[in-house]
């Protein structure tokens, strides 16, 4: 973190009212719109709970977001989101539990799971093509790296060598047979170019007319670097004990960190995560690979 950045976000989010104003604007950028009767009431000032002028129903700023039903204050949510964004290595449930005086490890763990979901939502915008697509393999069920096997990797291909590019990683463990067409359709706009191997191209036969599919079997240096980065990060963060079910959360966090690593403005990264937190259920229901 650059000097001053911590105090910058502490000033911006000092009180619950500061958080309400900020998050209210995020949720209703054009002014409050009642979720029940859909009427716009831009004159209503930011508040935690709002009563609709027309239908008299009460709404809350946190309803249907990832904060839905949470007993934590908005300030605590922003602080924990800041810790998630600003810690270089990632945060563990144990460190969250200590920093925020959370009674049980399980509660801290659930909170962290929500932050990872927010990270996934924040990064759910489609990749822009051309996109390199490959699936990781270790070829050995007993390998210590088996947890990073069987992951679909989608990487934007840069026009220029130093241009930052986004990645998306989707665990294929426990997915239905041939989940790749579904993942591609969710992640890559139609008509984009997909660069992939002959064998993956075959598995995309059903959607081949929607994309420009180029095949190559040469190893890509960027792909190798991405896997090294993933492996190093996972070896520091992932304890393995939680099993495959939770793997996707770690991959989502990795992608969020990777994709925002070149952003100079740390507050923009926090804002990005808060967008995910406020969007709540924005991940399309048919994204089955994340619904395990
Ligand atoms: Zn209403």
């Amino acid at each position: 973190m650059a000097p001053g950045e911590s105090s910058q976000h502490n000033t911006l989010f000092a009180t619950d009212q500061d958080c309400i104003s900020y998050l209210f604007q995020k949720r209703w950028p054009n002014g409050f719109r009642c979720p029940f009767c859909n009427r716009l009431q831009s004159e209503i000032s930011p508040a935690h709970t709002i009563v609709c002028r027309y239908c008299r129903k009460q709404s809350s700023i946190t309803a249907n977001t990832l904060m839905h039903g949470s007993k934590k204050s908005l300030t605590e949510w922003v602080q924990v989101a800041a810790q998630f964004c600003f810690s270089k290595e990632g945060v563990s449930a144990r460190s969250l539990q200590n920093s925020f005086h959370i009674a049980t490890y399980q509660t801290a763990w659930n909170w962290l799971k929500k932050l990872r979901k927010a990270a996934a939502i924040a990064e759910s915008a489609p990749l822009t093509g051309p996109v390199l697509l490959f699936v990781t393999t270790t070829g050995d069920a007993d390998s210590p790296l088996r947890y990073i096997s069987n992951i679909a990797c989608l990487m934007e291909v840069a026009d220029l060598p130093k241009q930052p590019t986004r990645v998306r990683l989707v665990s294929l463990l426990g997915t239905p047979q041939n989940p790749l067409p579904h993942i591609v359709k969710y992640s890559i706009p139609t008509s984009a170019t997909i660069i992939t191997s002959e064998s993956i191209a075959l598995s995309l036969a059903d959607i081949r007319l929607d994309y420009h599919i180029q095949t190559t079997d040469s190893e890509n240096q960027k792909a190798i670097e991405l896997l090294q980065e993933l492996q190093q990060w996972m070896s520091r963060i992932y304890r393995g004990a939680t099993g495959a079910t939770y793997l996707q959360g770690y991959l989502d966090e990795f992608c969020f960190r990777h994709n925002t690593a070149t952003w100079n403005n740390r507050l923009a990264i926090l804002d990005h995560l808060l967008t995910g937190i406020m969007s709540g259920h924005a991940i399309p229901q048919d994204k089955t690979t994340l619904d395990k």
Side-chain angles (χ1 to χ4, degrees), residues 48 59 79 90 93 175 276:
H48 197 290
S59 311
Q79 296 298 338
T175 53

Side-chain angles (χ1 to χ4, degrees), residues 23 26-27 61-68 70 74 76-82 84-85 111 113-123 256 269-282:
L23 298 176
K26 262 207 154 314
R27 177 142 195 205
I61 192 172
T62 57
N64 298 320
T65 71
L66 287 182
M67 293 187 275
H68 190 105
S70 169
L74 294 186
E76 284 176 298
W77 268 92
V78 172
Q79 296 298 338
V80 80
F84 183 89
C85 291
W111 210 358
K113 246 171 50 182
K114 286 189 181 176
L115 294 172
R116 290 183 173 135
K117 186 161 186 197
I121 296 169
E123 278 299 315
F256 180 88
I269 301 176
L270 174 58
D271 181 77
H272 192 47
L273 188 68
L274 291 174
T275 305
I277 291 174
M278 292 311 283
S279 306
H281 308 298

